[in-house]
Amino acid sequence: MTGLACGDVEGKFDILFNRVRAIQKKSGNFDLLLCVGNFFGSTPDAEWEEYKTGIKKAPIQTYVLGANNQETVKYFQDADGCELAENITYLGRKGIFTGSSGLQIVYLSGTESLNEPVPGYSFSPKDVSSLRMMLCTTSQFKGVDILLTSPWPKYVGNFGNSSGEVDTKKCGSALVSSLATGLKPRYHFAALEKTYYERLPYRNHIVLQENAQHATRFIALANVGNPEKKKYLYAFSIVPMKLMDAAELVKQPPDVTENPYRKSGQEVSIGKQIPAPVEESACQFFFDLNEKQGRKRSSTGRDSKSSPHPKQPRKPPQPPGPCWFCLASPEVEKHLVVNIGTHCYLALAKGGLSDDHVLILPIGHYQSVVELSAEVVEEVEKYKATLRRFFKSRGKRCVVFERNYKSHHLQLQVIPVPVSCCATDDIKDAFITQAQEQQIELLEIPEHSDIKQIAQPGAAYFYVELDTGEKLFHRIKKNFPLQFGREVLASEAILNIPDKSDWRQCQISKEDEETLARRFRKDFEPFDFTVDD
């Protein structure tokens, strides 16, 4: 089935239909024309009267949405839809239109209103909820073919290509975002902003958590006959979802992005801002920092003097040659070491992004998290949890990342970001956006998943963990920018220190490094789980 979609007509019926005739003469006939935005304008009714009385006729079956302002409500007398003129049909306030081929089109007329009573040219949260209930409650529901709305969905630009002058964090409707999230349309057409924007297709599933689903293409169209010649007509060809092979339906386009409406694992809430992520408490992890311990603790958290036959620790793996990070190696810059556990240690990063940028490193020689033994993993998690608590007490959230590529010894980079700088969602957005700009496929993985389930020993990868527990993962297949993690965090969107993206430009004297290390040891002492006062 082939169709055309059109932006705001604003009463310029002759310009629109003459253009459609020219297109059909060149490309053949289309099955229908879908009009979103303002169909009627503030121009005199003389042109419309010619269509209404049959003097002129639309050259294609045309379906239009209802009023977006009080001035044009008069043209749409029947809320359930009606024929406005020959070949021109008003779909109605809201509902589902199913074509003879099985194509399913969901429509929602008007603009968003959160006030009661709802004006005749608006839709309410109840309208959106009822549309979702009509479709989404059945277990067989996979999505719809087309969604028609006049307003843009709010946040549609997240993780996508530039939307030009339209700020999608401020413009558009959060209710429409919620509807698009629930209905999963294959095409979503909108207008009203007087510009053309074809967003990169986005996913409707969470990678590695949900089965693959079809992608959505959002297209916003300009107003008919605009002097800037912005695109107001869009031609599309679509096979109804019901008739498609399942594997073909879920095939992902090569330029597909993350879902713009999903933040912190939540979808846009109806009529509200996206809720802020909740901080995780330390007791979720292996130990409670509030618990008082009287002696040096083993990696299992048991008192090392309580057992008459303490377990002898296994000798840590040895490197095949000199290593800058094995603690027993003479190459280690020991003045940077700030804390030592049973299996791991903390060290200030050389040329750090900040004075408290630290590394979690295994004492023995392990190349990556994937290769760590169980007891080392346990202590790594302790250090991560402790550092979250430590930085939280100082008004900061920490980002942890690992690059297992062109490195020989595991280095977990822990970078604190002041809470006042940005939200966790901004950090996540920055990683995903910069990854897309560099053609890096950064996938979201389940919060409590084990990297060992995703990457095999020896496999190259990049991995980042946010303070909310959200994780992003990239399987490195060929090349990868070595400073990617630093570049994202140093960017204007996060720490705003782009000149520090390369650690070699941030090196300081050994004397200054020693001063910073002493300060960190003193500040960290109340949080140290390896000893107690």
Side-chain angles (χ1 to χ4, degrees), residues 199-490:
R199 191 202 183 282
L200 291 172
Y202 64 81
R203 295 186 186 94
N204 281 297
H205 63 279
I206 302 175
V207 176
L208 302 177
Q209 290 189 48
E210 300 173 337
N211 292 332
Q213 298 179 47
H214 58 271
T216 293
R217 298 178 184 275
F218 171 76
I219 294 116
L221 294 155
N223 47 314
V224 170
N226 67 84
E228 299 85 5
K229 299 191 182 303
K230 294 177 181 177
K231 189 169 181 175
Y232 63 85
L233 269 177
Y234 183 95
F236 62 94
S237 176
I238 188 170
V239 175
M241 187 182 294
K242 293 179 179 179
L243 305 180
M244 287 190 70
D245 172 72
E248 189 66 23
L249 177 64
V250 302
K251 192 176 289 183
Q252 301 295 294
D255 54 352
V256 70
T257 77
E258 291 296 320
N259 190 306
Y261 314 125
R262 279 207 177 99
K263 293 268 200 168
S264 304
Q266 297 163 324
E267 67 183 45
V268 177
S269 57
I270 292 181
K272 297 179 182 177
Q273 292 292 330
I274 297 166
V278 178
E279 294 273 342
E280 291 183 329
S281 62
C283 59
Q284 250 181 282
F285 296 87
F286 295 102
F287 71 115
D288 187 345
L289 288 171
N290 296 319
E291 184 183 355
K292 292 290 182 183
Q293 300 291 332
R295 289 171 283 273
K296 181 83 175 175
R297 298 175 63 208
S298 71
S299 61
T300 60
R302 293 188 295 268
D303 185 342
S304 59
K305 293 188 179 179
S306 62
S307 172
H309 303 289
K311 186 178 178 181
Q312 293 299 314
R314 267 186 282 175
K315 188 177 179 181
Q318 301 301 306
C323 177
W324 288 95
F325 299 104
C326 287
L327 192 57
S329 169
E331 282 82 11
V332 169
E333 297 195 49
K334 291 186 170 58
H335 68 283
L336 293 173
V337 176
V338 292
N339 189 267
I340 302 175
T342 307
H343 304 285
C344 304
Y345 70 99
L346 285 185
L348 284 184
K350 197 168 186 67
L353 280 169
S354 62
D355 291 349
D356 44 7
H357 174 175
V358 294
L359 307 177
I360 303 174
L361 304 122
I363 291 172
H365 190 77
Y366 295 91
Q367 183 171 324
S368 69
V369 164
V370 173
E371 297 177 8
L372 295 179
S373 60
E375 63 268 22
V376 183
V377 169
E378 183 175 333
E379 194 164 275
V380 166
E381 291 301 325
K382 285 185 180 182
Y383 269 120
K384 281 158 61 176
T386 307
L387 288 166
R388 286 193 190 100
R389 284 284 301 267
F390 170 65
F391 287 125
K392 185 178 178 182
S393 74
R394 305 173 77 81
K396 299 177 182 181
R397 53 172 58 91
C398 61
V399 179
V400 180
F401 71 81
E402 177 196 359
R403 186 200 76 232
N404 183 33
Y405 173 70
K406 294 192 175 180
S407 60
H408 302 289
H409 190 112
L410 166 62
Q411 304 161 54
L412 275 180
Q413 307 272 345
V414 184
I415 297 94
V417 177
V419 171
S420 58
C421 267
C422 55
T424 302
D425 280 344
D426 297 323
I427 299 172
K428 180 180 175 183
D429 290 359
F431 270 101
I432 291 174
T433 300
Q434 290 201 39
Q436 288 173 352
E437 288 173 359
Q438 299 186 48
Q439 281 81 52
I440 296 168
E441 188 180 22
L442 201 55
L443 305 176
E444 189 165 353
I445 61 176
E447 288 181 23
H448 302 292
S449 60
D450 188 342
I451 292 293
K452 294 183 179 184
Q453 298 171 339
I454 301 166
Q456 298 297 315
Y461 62 84
F462 174 82
Y463 154 80
V464 59
E465 182 175 339
L466 306 177
D467 64 321
T468 53
E470 293 171 276
K471 300 173 184 177
L472 303 171
F473 177 87
H474 169 66
R475 198 183 307 277
I476 300 172
K477 296 174 183 173
K478 194 174 182 183
N479 297 317
F480 186 79
L482 298 183
Q483 305 294 336
F484 177 70
R486 283 184 68 111
E487 287 171 358
V488 174
L489 291 167

